[in-house]
C-alpha cells in the first residue's frame, strides 16, 4: 500500500492510513479484545474543548472565535425544510443530491490537508460526485505531496456504478478504474508500465465513499435510528460493512463563517468493518438538514472541519500552493545570498549526511542457540553492517565516517583530479553495461516520435560524443516546458508528443535520444536547491538587471531528476530542465538503468532512502 489516501475524512469510508499504513494488519489501538460497540464514548473526549486545540483562525477573515459561552446555537441550513413537527423527513432526492462542500483536516494546530467535493445530477439522472483531496505528509525531514482525485457515478437511487481514480504520492501519479455490476467489482490499475486487475464478488448494491454524506442529506437520522450498507473503499480496493447509528445531540466547536463557535448538532457513530479485527469507528456531527460540520476518527487527534470555500483557500494555502512533489529544508551555510544571487559562481558544495539506521527486523533470540548474541553485540553488528550511502555520481565525491552513519559529500562543478582526492574520497568508478543501452517500455527509443526528434537533433559530422550528448540535452530543454507536477513517468514516445513535462519525464526522453544514438545512460533521482522564484524589476531603472524580491529562509531543496551519460570515456551529469550539466546544488540519491524496474517501487525506495538522511551544508566554494 502506498499510503496514497492522505486523510479520507470526508470520504469516511476509506480508512486513513496517513499515520499507520498497517491499519488493516492489526486491530486499531482503540479496539478491545471483546466485541466493539457503537457507544458514544467519543462524544465527550473526541471533540476539541477549545478551538485552539484545532487550529488558529486568525487568518479566516471572519469574526474569530466567539468567546461567549451563552451564544451556543443550533447550526442549520437556511435552504429547504428538513423537519415536520420536529421529526426529520425525506427531502426531494434531486435537491438532496446537488451539493458542494469543503473540509480542512487538522491535527492540533497543524493543517494536514483538505477535501473539496461536489455532487450533481446529470441529464441521464445519474449522480456524479467529484472528490479532490490534497495534503502533505512527512517522512523524516521530507515533506511529501499526496493527492487523490476521484469521480463516482451512481444510479438514481445512489448505488455506485463506476469510479475513476488518480492518485499521487510525491513525483509519481497512477490511475485506477473501477466498474461495478450486479455481481462483481472490477479493478483496473494502471501502474505506469504494468496493469493490475482484480475482481471482487458482491451480492448487494454498493454505496460510495460519500455514502454517509449522501444518506444524511437525503434523510437525516432520527433519534436512535441505525442504518446499514455495503460500501466500496476505492483506495484499499475492498468492500466493507457500514453501520451508522444516531447517538444524541452534542455541542462541538465547529468552524462557522464567523470562526469557531460551539453549536448544537446531531451526532452519529459510524462503524466500518472488513472483519472482526479490521474495524474503525468514527463520529459525525451534522445539522438538521444532514450537512456534516465535523468528522473525527475515534481515538485519533485529527479532526475534519466543514468550512467555506474562502476558508478552505486561506487555511489550505500551504498544501494547495505546494509546487514540488517532495521538499525539505537543509540547514547550514546558505547556498543563495544577496551577493551570489545573479553571479552563478557556485563551484563546490560540501554536504554532511547523518544516517538513521533502517528499522531492524523483529526477532526473538533463542536461548538454546549458541550463536545467539546479546543486544549490545547485535547493535554493534548492525552498525558494522550498515553500508547505505548517497549515490556515487559524476563529480560527486564521498567521504565515509568511522561508523558509516556519518558521511560527507562534495559536489563539484568540474571534475576533481584524482591527485587531489588522495584516497580520502570515493568516486564514481563504473563501466557501462548492456542495460544502459536497452530499450524498455518507458525508454522506447525505437518509436516514431522519439526517432523524429533524434533525427532533427543538430550534430555535425565532426562532433565528438560529448558534443552530441550536450546537443541532445539542449534539444530536450528547448522542446519541453517544465512543470513540477506531471504524471512522473511516461513512455518517452508519449513525452515526445507533449509540450510539458517534469524533470523525470524530461530525463526519460533524453535517455531515449541518447540510447537511440547508442550512448549509455542512466536515470538519477536526487534533490536540487530551489532558489527564490519571485523576480521583479529593481526600483532603480538605471540598473540593467532584475532581482528577486526576497530570499527564501534556509536552503529549500526539492525533488529533481537528471541523466548521467557515458561520452568519450567520461560520465557526464546532464540536466535537461536547465539545458546544461548539473550544478553543485544537485545531490544524487539513487541511480537506475531502468531495466526491469517498477517505477512506483523505485520511487518508494528513493523516498525511504532520502527520509533516513539528515543533510546539512558545511562548506561552499565560490569563484570563477
Amino acid at each position: 500500500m502506498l499510503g496514497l489516501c492522505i486523510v479520507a475524512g470526508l470520504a469516511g469510508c476509506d480508512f486513513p492510513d496517513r499515520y499507520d499504513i498497517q491499519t488493516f494488519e492489526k486491530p486499531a489501538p482503540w479496539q478491545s479484545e471483546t466485541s466493539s460497540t457503537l457507544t458514544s464514548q467519543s462524544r465527550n473526549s473526541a471533540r476539541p474543548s477549545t478551538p485552539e486545540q484545532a487550529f488558529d483562525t486568525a487568518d479566516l477573515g471572519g469574526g474569530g472565535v466567539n468567546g461567549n459561552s451563552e451564544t451556543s446555537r443550533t447550526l442549520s441550513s437556511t435552504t429547504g425544510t428538513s423537519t415536520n413537527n420536529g421529526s426529520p423527513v425525506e427531502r426531494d432526492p434531486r435537491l438532496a443530491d446537488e451539493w458542494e462542500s469543503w473540509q480542512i483536516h487538522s491535527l492540533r494546530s497543524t493543517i494536514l490537508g483538505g477535501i473539496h467535493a461536489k455532487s450533481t445530477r446529470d441529464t441521464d439522472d445519474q449522480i456524479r460526485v467529484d472528490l479532490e483531496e490534497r495534503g502533505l505528509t512527512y517522512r523524516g525531514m521530507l515533506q511529501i505531496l499526496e493527492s487523490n482525485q476521484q469521480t463516482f457515478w451512481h444510479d438514481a437511487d445512489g448505488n455506485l456504478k463506476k469510479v475513476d481514480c488518480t492518485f499521487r504520492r510525491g513525483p509519481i501519479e497512477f490511475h485506477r478504474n473501477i466498474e461495478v455490476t450486479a455481481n462483481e467489482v472490477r479493478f483496473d490499475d494502471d501502474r505506469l508500465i504494468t496493469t493490475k486487475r482484480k475482481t471482487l464478488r458482491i451480492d448487494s448494491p454498493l454505496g460510495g465513499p460519500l455514502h454517509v454524506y449522501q444518506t444524511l442529506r437525503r434523510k437525516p437520522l432520527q433519534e436512535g435510528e441505525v442504518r446499514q450498507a455495503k460500501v466500496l473503499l476505492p483506495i484499499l480496493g475492498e468492500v466493507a460493512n457500514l453501520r451508522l447509528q444516531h447517538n444524541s445531540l452534542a455541542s462541538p466547536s465547529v468552524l462557522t463563517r464567523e470562526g469557531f463557535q460551539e453549536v448544537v448538532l446531531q451526532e452519529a457513530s459510524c462503524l466500518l468493518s472488513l472483519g472482526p479485527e479490521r474495524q474503525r469507528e468514527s463520529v459525525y456531527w451534522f445539522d438538521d438538514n444532514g450537512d456534516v460540520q465535523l468528522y473525527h476518527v475515534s481515538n485519533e487527534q485529527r479532526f475534519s472541519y466543514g468550512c467555506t470555500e474562502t476558508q478552505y483557500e486561506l487555511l489550505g494555502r500551504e498544501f494547495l500552493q505546494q509546487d514540488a512533489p517532495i521538499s525539505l529544508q537543509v540547514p547550514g551555510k546558505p547556498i543563495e545570498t544577496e551577493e551570489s544571487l545573479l553571479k552563478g559562481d557556485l563551484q563546490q558544495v560540501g554536504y554532511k549526511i547523518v544516517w538513521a539506521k533502517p528499522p531492524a527486523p523483529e526477532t526473538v533470540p533463542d536461548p538454546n542457540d549458541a550463536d545467539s548474541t546479546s543486544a549490545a553485540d547485535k547493535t554493534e553488528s548492525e552498525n558494522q553492517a550498515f553500508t547505505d550511502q548517497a549515490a556515487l555520481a559524476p563529480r560527486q565525491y564521498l567521504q565515509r565516517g568511522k561508523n558509516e552513519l556519518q558521511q560527507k559529500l562534495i559536489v563539484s562543478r568540474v571534475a576533481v583530479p584524482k591527485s587531489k582526492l588522495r584516497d580520502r574520497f570515493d568516486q564514481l568508478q563504473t563501466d557501462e553495461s548492456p542495460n544502459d543501452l536497452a530499450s524498455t517500455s518507458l525508454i522506447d527509443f525505437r518509436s516514431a516520435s522519439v526517432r523524429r526528434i533524434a533525427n532533427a537533433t543538430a550534430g555535425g559530422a565532426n562532433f565528438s560524443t560529448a558534443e552530441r550528448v550536450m546537443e541532445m540535452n539542449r534539444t530536450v530543454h528547448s522542446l519541453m516546458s517544465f512543470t513540477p507536477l506531471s504524471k512522473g513517468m511516461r513512455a518517452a514516445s508519449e513525452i515526445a508528443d507533449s509540450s510539458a513535462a517534469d524533470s523525470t519525464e524530461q530525463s526519460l526522453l533524453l535517455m531515449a535520444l541518447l540510447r537511440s544514438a547508442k550512448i549509455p545512460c542512466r536515470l538519477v533521482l536526487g534533490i536540487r536547491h530551489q532558489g527564490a522564484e519571485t523576480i521583479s524589476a529593481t526600483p532603480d531603472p538605471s540598473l540593467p538587471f532584475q532581482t528577486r524580491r526576497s530570499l527564501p529562509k534556509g536552503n529549500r531543496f526539492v525533488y529533481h531528476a537528471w541523466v548521467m551519460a557515458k561520452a568519450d570515456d567520461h560520465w557526464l551529469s546532464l540536466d535537461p530542465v536547465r539545458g546544461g550539466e548539473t550544478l553543485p546544488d544537485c545531490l544524487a540519491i539513487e541511480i537506475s538503468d531502468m531495466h526491469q524496474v517498477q517505477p512506483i517501487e523505485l520511487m518508494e525506495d528513493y523516498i525511504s532512502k532520502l527520509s533516513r538522511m539528515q543533510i546539512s551544508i558545511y562548506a561552499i566554494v565560490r569563484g570563477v
Side-chain angles (χ1 to χ4, degrees):
M1 185 188 303
L2 292 179
L4 284 167
C5 180
I6 303 165
V7 184
L10 181 59
C13 297
D14 257 331
F15 286 34
D17 58 359
R18 175 187 180 92
Y19 307 108
D20 181 9
I21 63 173
Q22 307 300 329
T23 296
F24 280 151
E25 295 185 7
K26 59 184 178 181
W30 59 88
Q31 292 295 331
S32 63
E33 296 294 332
T34 58
S35 60
S36 172
T37 60
L38 274 170
T39 60
S40 187
Q41 296 175 351
S42 59
R43 281 202 300 267
N44 298 320
S45 60
R47 65 181 178 86
S49 58
T50 63
E52 286 75 9
Q53 291 179 339
F55 49 82
D56 186 6
T57 59
D59 293 332
L60 289 178
V65 177
N66 192 332
N68 186 354
S69 60
E70 296 180 358
T71 60
S72 177
R73 60 188 178 88
T74 301
L75 182 67
S76 300
S77 173
T78 58
T79 60
T81 302
S82 62
T83 59
N84 183 12
N85 296 326
S87 300
V89 297
E90 185 170 0
R91 292 181 287 172
D92 180 356
R94 183 174 298 277
L95 296 177
D97 294 330
E98 299 277 347
W99 52 267
E100 187 170 14
S101 67
W102 293 265
Q103 283 203 353
I104 286 290
H105 306 316
S106 168
L107 177 64
R108 303 186 188 94
S109 60
T110 302
I111 302 296
L112 303 175
I115 287 182
H116 170 221
K118 185 175 182 178
S119 178
T120 56
R121 275 184 179 255
D122 61 22
T123 55
D124 296 328
D125 214 25
Q126 290 187 110
I127 305 169
R128 170 174 169 162
V129 179
D130 293 290
L131 181 151
E132 296 181 2
E133 183 170 24
R134 188 178 173 102
L136 300 171
T137 61
Y138 297 87
R139 286 279 301 272
M141 303 300 291
L142 305 185
Q143 188 182 67
I144 305 171
L145 177 65
E146 294 189 352
S147 66
N148 72 76
Q149 295 180 314
Q150 303 179 55
T151 301
F152 311 92
W153 284 271
H154 311 74
D155 62 22
D157 296 325
N159 299 319
L160 191 63
K161 310 306 292 183
K162 184 173 70 170
V163 187
D164 284 340
C165 310
T166 299
F167 304 130
R168 169 177 293 279
R169 176 166 165 79
I172 288 291
E173 185 178 277
F174 75 96
H175 304 275
R176 171 175 293 167
N177 295 319
I178 305 173
E179 295 284 346
V180 183
T181 66
N183 301 314
E184 64 182 19
V185 184
R186 295 190 295 270
F187 298 84
D188 285 303
D189 285 2
D190 175 9
R191 300 180 68 83
L192 303 179
I193 64 172
T194 59
T195 300
K196 184 178 180 180
R197 293 182 171 86
K198 183 176 77 169
T199 301
L200 295 178
R201 300 291 298 178
I202 57 174
D203 54 11
S204 62
L206 299 180
L210 297 176
H211 179 81
V212 171
Y213 284 70
Q214 290 174 300
T215 186
L216 289 177
R217 279 186 169 89
R218 286 189 164 197
K219 184 179 180 182
L221 281 174
Q222 300 184 36
E223 184 176 353
E225 182 183 357
V226 175
R227 297 178 187 172
Q228 300 189 62
K230 286 187 178 294
V231 294
L232 176 69
L233 310 181
I235 295 173
L236 292 178
E238 299 197 48
V239 172
N241 293 312
L242 181 147
R243 188 171 188 267
L244 187 66
Q245 175 176 303
H246 186 280
N247 292 331
S248 65
L249 291 177
S251 55
S253 293
V254 299
L255 187 56
T256 70
R257 292 180 181 273
E258 292 76 30
F260 275 105
Q261 290 189 353
E262 195 169 279
V263 300
V264 177
L265 295 171
Q266 305 288 330
E267 180 183 291
S269 295
C270 177
L271 182 66
L272 198 63
S273 175
L274 284 168
E277 295 185 346
R278 302 174 72 191
Q279 300 178 336
R280 176 159 290 184
E281 187 175 2
S282 54
V283 183
Y284 292 85
W285 289 272
F286 58 96
D287 62 25
D288 293 339
N289 280 338
D291 296 325
V292 176
Q293 307 296 329
L294 182 63
Y295 166 84
H296 174 70
V297 177
S298 300
N299 283 30
E300 286 190 2
Q301 298 183 46
R302 175 186 57 79
F303 286 80
S304 295
Y305 292 86
C307 61
T308 67
E309 181 178 7
T310 300
Q311 291 170 330
Y312 182 78
E313 292 174 350
L314 284 171
L315 292 170
R317 280 176 296 191
E318 184 176 9
F319 65 84
L320 290 174
Q321 298 176 10
Q322 176 72 1
D323 61 351
I326 294 176
S327 64
L328 68 157
Q329 291 291 328
V330 176
K333 295 188 176 183
I335 285 182
E336 193 172 60
T337 64
E338 292 289 354
E339 294 76 17
S340 67
L341 197 58
L342 301 172
K343 291 181 180 180
D345 62 348
L346 191 65
Q347 295 299 316
Q348 290 183 344
V349 177
Y351 300 89
K352 181 180 178 180
I353 299 174
V354 179
W355 288 87
K357 291 185 296 184
E362 295 182 5
T363 57
V364 179
D366 185 353
N368 299 319
D369 185 357
D371 295 330
S372 179
T373 57
S374 67
D377 293 338
K378 185 171 296 186
T379 301
E380 180 65 24
S381 174
E382 289 170 356
N383 284 340
Q384 293 176 353
F386 182 84
T387 58
D388 217 342
Q389 64 181 42
L392 289 175
R395 299 180 282 107
Q396 186 162 304
Y397 308 97
L398 173 69
Q399 185 181 47
R400 304 173 187 274
K402 292 183 179 179
N403 63 0
E404 297 286 346
L405 296 179
Q406 295 186 13
Q407 300 169 356
K408 290 184 177 180
L409 272 169
I410 292 180
V411 183
S412 179
R413 190 165 192 160
V414 297
V416 178
K418 292 183 179 180
S419 60
K420 290 190 175 182
L421 296 176
R422 299 176 183 175
D423 297 327
R424 293 179 300 171
F425 291 87
D426 296 339
Q427 61 179 319
L428 177 68
Q429 292 180 330
T430 183
D431 295 325
E432 70 271 20
S433 73
N435 292 341
D436 297 328
L437 294 167
S439 175
T440 70
S441 57
L442 291 178
I443 310 172
D444 52 347
F445 60 79
R446 296 187 179 91
S447 65
S449 300
V450 174
R451 288 202 311 270
R452 184 182 68 251
I453 297 176
N455 294 335
T457 301
N462 297 326
F463 272 26
S464 66
T465 303
E467 289 171 331
R468 294 176 62 196
V469 163
M470 297 304 296
E471 189 61 33
M472 290 178 182
N473 190 40
R474 285 190 289 267
T475 297
V476 175
H477 172 70
S478 63
L479 286 176
M480 294 290 159
S481 297
F482 173 68
T483 176
L485 299 175
S486 185
K487 186 173 181 180
M489 287 195 184
R490 295 178 284 166
S493 56
E494 183 181 348
I495 300 168
D497 291 331
S498 62
S499 59
D502 65 9
S503 61
T504 315
E505 294 166 335
Q506 292 191 30
S507 297
L508 291 174
L509 178 57
L510 176 57
M511 290 176 70
L513 295 179
L514 292 167
R515 292 187 181 183
S516 69
K518 302 188 184 306
I519 298 174
C521 57
R522 298 172 188 173
L523 179 67
V524 183
L525 304 180
I527 53 177
R528 188 187 83 175
H529 177 257
Q530 185 183 58
E533 298 296 334
T534 303
I535 308 292
S536 64
T538 58
D540 187 350
S542 65
L543 296 177
F545 57 83
Q546 293 179 321
T547 185
R548 294 168 173 84
R549 289 195 183 101
S550 61
L551 294 174
K553 295 180 180 179
N555 294 304
R556 185 174 190 254
F557 279 72
V558 298
Y559 168 81
H560 196 61
W562 60 94
V563 176
M564 53 180 282
K566 187 73 172 291
D568 300 334
D569 296 327
H570 297 286
W571 287 97
L572 302 175
S573 280
L574 309 169
D575 186 352
V577 173
R578 282 175 166 159
E581 292 190 74
T582 57
L583 299 178
D585 65 349
C586 288
L587 183 64
I589 307 297
E590 195 81 38
I591 298 176
S592 174
D593 58 23
M594 299 305 292
H595 181 67
Q596 295 182 342
V597 168
Q598 294 293 328
I600 295 176
E601 283 72 12
L602 174 64
M603 282 298 177
E604 282 301 305
D605 290 342
Y606 161 83
I607 291 174
S608 176
K609 186 175 182 179
L610 184 57
S611 69
R612 301 198 309 275
M613 301 169 69
Q614 296 181 15
I615 305 172
S616 60
I617 296 176
Y618 73 91
I620 292 177
V621 178
R622 301 185 183 278
V624 178

